[in-house]
Amino acid sequence: MVILDSLREPIEPLFARNAPMWLRVWALTQLAALVAATTFATRRTGSVAAVFASPSGKIVALALVLLIAWHVAGLLAHKWLVRERWRSIAFVASCFALIVWACYIRREYTFLIFGALLQMCVFLSFAWVAGALVALVLLAVGSVAGIGQGVTNARLINAVPVMMVGVIVGTVVLYIHLSNRHAAVQDDLLRRLDSAQNDLAARAREAGILEERQRLSRDLHDTLAQGFTSVIAQLSAAELVLQGAEPNPGSAPADQTSLAAPYLARAQAVSRASLSEIRRLVLALRPTELSDGPLTLTLDRVVRQWATLHGIVATFGASDVPELVQDAEVTLLRATQEGLGNVARHAAAKNVSVRLSCVDDLVLLEIDDDGRGIREHSNGEDSGGLGLSGMRERAGALGGHVIVENNGVRGTSLTVALPLATVAITPIRAES
């Protein structure tokens, strides 16, 4: 049962790579061998008619017709034959039987044996090819040496080239087998590497999503939750004042209103700040601006709106930037928003410059300000949780990195570098 199951398994031919090309080479080789053998037989007998007119010639003609038909069937049904091992073995064995038949009748058709070597490589695996090669060489040597017809020194000398050709062909077959094994190992390693890279990318995306959720959770806790708590506290204080629960219960209503006004003003200010935080968080989660135009126009609009909102002079410039993949555009947009947000919160800057460019196969986003700079130990992170970790995660997922430089009294420089080969949809053509 094990042997039967093995014979029903698919076979991997020695020439599995570029099989269609080798099929054509096999067919052309056998056609050339057939023409050459017939030519030699014609010269020996005097004419083509003399070759096939005799009783033995008719048998040769029948063998050749069957052989040609069998070769055509192999060309057309190659994929079907190699699906099960026994089909390939039976097909090659039947072809060999026809060739041996033709060789037995007329020795000139021994040329067909060389094409049979290619046939074995196209239809059989290395082990079968090696065994059949040894058998074919012995058969060819026996035919040329005239075993059974009286061995002579001349015939033995004629058999030497056949043996040399067999050794050469065997060496080539062994080399091809080893090359195929090395190629198979390389393909397997590449598949494993691709699988590992895909798994690593998936894990990086999951880590990025988790980090984004954690950052959003920190943002909500550190800003909105605290803001709402402050609003409730201010409104509660105002309510107590308006209800006359202050230490001066005899105060006039107007005095109580004026006492409650500061609490209401602070509640209003905190509410506005919380609304701005909600807008910022929504903007970070869904960068809908990217659907309104190219990335450069989107960043220019974001910079102008930010400058108007905070009263800070901000400029934007872009040059030589190709069309980028969506993940890269989202990464650069959020990096711009995060960088400008940090400038507004901590830099006390008067001027900000944002540039998007391509330098040395990198897409660079640079945000420079003239503020007070960051503390060396902070690494760009602040106590409110609005640091650069999320930005680094997004850039790292694309093979890029983030650089923060403290320029002292000249402010801070934030650079996001992404590899152009990874993020560009169409590369930039070099100028001639």
Side-chain angles (χ1 to χ4, degrees), residues 61-398:
L62 177 60
L64 294 181
V65 169
L66 293 176
L67 192 60
I68 293 173
W70 212 237
H71 279 63
V72 173
L75 286 172
L76 299 178
H78 174 262
K79 293 183 178 179
W80 179 82
L81 290 171
V82 297
R83 287 178 186 172
E84 294 188 8
R85 193 184 308 272
W86 71 270
R87 297 176 186 172
S88 294
I89 296 174
F91 174 75
V92 174
S94 59
C95 283
F96 283 172
L98 292 174
I99 293 174
V100 171
W101 187 21
C103 293
Y104 178 78
I105 300 171
R106 293 205 66 94
R107 192 174 59 187
E108 292 83 0
Y109 288 99
T110 306
F111 287 111
L112 293 173
I113 293 178
F114 297 104
L117 296 176
L118 284 175
Q119 180 188 25
M120 290 188 303
C121 298
V122 174
F123 287 91
L124 298 179
S125 60
F126 171 74
W128 287 90
V129 170
L133 179 62
V134 173
L136 282 176
V137 171
L138 294 177
L139 178 63
V141 170
S143 175
V144 173
I147 296 176
Q149 301 176 1
V151 179
T152 63
N153 292 334
R155 288 178 176 178
L156 288 175
I157 294 174
N158 291 334
V160 172
V162 176
M163 296 180 62
M164 294 179 61
V165 171
V167 173
I168 294 173
V169 173
T171 304
V172 172
V173 168
L174 179 61
Y175 172 78
I176 294 174
H177 171 63
L178 295 177
S179 299
N180 288 343
R181 289 186 61 184
H182 293 161
V185 171
Q186 291 179 354
D187 291 343
D188 182 63
L189 292 176
L190 289 175
R191 283 194 297 269
R192 293 185 181 183
L193 179 61
D194 289 341
S195 177
Q197 289 179 339
N198 293 334
D199 182 66
L200 181 61
R203 292 179 182 273
R205 286 193 295 269
E206 292 176 359
I209 293 173
L210 179 60
E211 176 65 24
E212 186 68 15
R213 290 177 178 175
Q214 293 176 348
R215 189 184 71 85
L216 180 59
S217 176
R218 291 194 301 266
D219 286 353
L220 291 175
H221 177 270
D222 296 338
T223 58
L224 298 184
Q226 294 180 6
F228 289 146
T229 301
S230 179
V231 169
I232 293 174
Q234 299 299 325
L235 292 178
S236 298
E239 182 181 13
L240 292 175
V241 171
L242 293 175
Q243 290 178 352
E246 288 293 316
N248 298 322
S251 301
D255 294 336
Q256 292 178 344
T257 302
S258 62
L259 291 174
Y263 298 108
L264 295 175
R266 284 193 288 270
Q268 186 180 40
V270 174
S271 298
R272 288 176 178 172
S274 299
L275 180 61
S276 298
E277 290 295 337
I278 292 175
R279 289 174 176 172
R280 187 190 64 79
L281 291 175
V282 172
L283 188 65
L285 291 174
R286 292 191 61 191
T288 55
E289 297 91 337
L290 291 175
S291 60
D292 298 333
L295 175 64
T296 53
L297 295 181
T298 299
L299 295 183
D300 181 62
R301 182 168 59 252
V302 168
V303 171
R304 286 189 286 105
Q305 291 176 350
W306 179 87
T308 302
L309 178 63
H310 296 280
I312 300 176
V313 178
T315 59
F316 174 77
S319 61
D320 298 332
V321 180
E323 185 179 0
L324 305 178
V325 297
Q326 182 178 358
D327 289 345
E329 291 187 343
V330 172
T331 297
L332 294 174
L333 172 61
R334 292 185 176 178
T336 301
Q337 294 167 344
E338 187 74 19
L340 292 177
N342 286 337
V343 171
R345 287 174 173 272
H346 310 291
K350 296 181 180 179
N351 297 277
V352 178
S353 172
V354 181
R355 294 184 301 277
L356 182 66
S357 60
C358 289
V359 178
D360 295 335
D361 298 328
L362 292 174
V363 178
L364 299 180
L365 173 67
E366 301 170 281
I367 303 177
D368 299 326
D369 66 75
D370 59 356
R372 56 172 173 249
I374 61 173
R375 296 186 300 274
E376 293 295 337
H377 66 275
S378 67
N379 194 26
E381 298 184 1
D382 55 77
S383 59
L386 299 178
L388 301 175
S389 59
M391 192 185 305
R392 289 193 173 97
E393 286 287 346
R394 297 188 193 100
L398 297 172

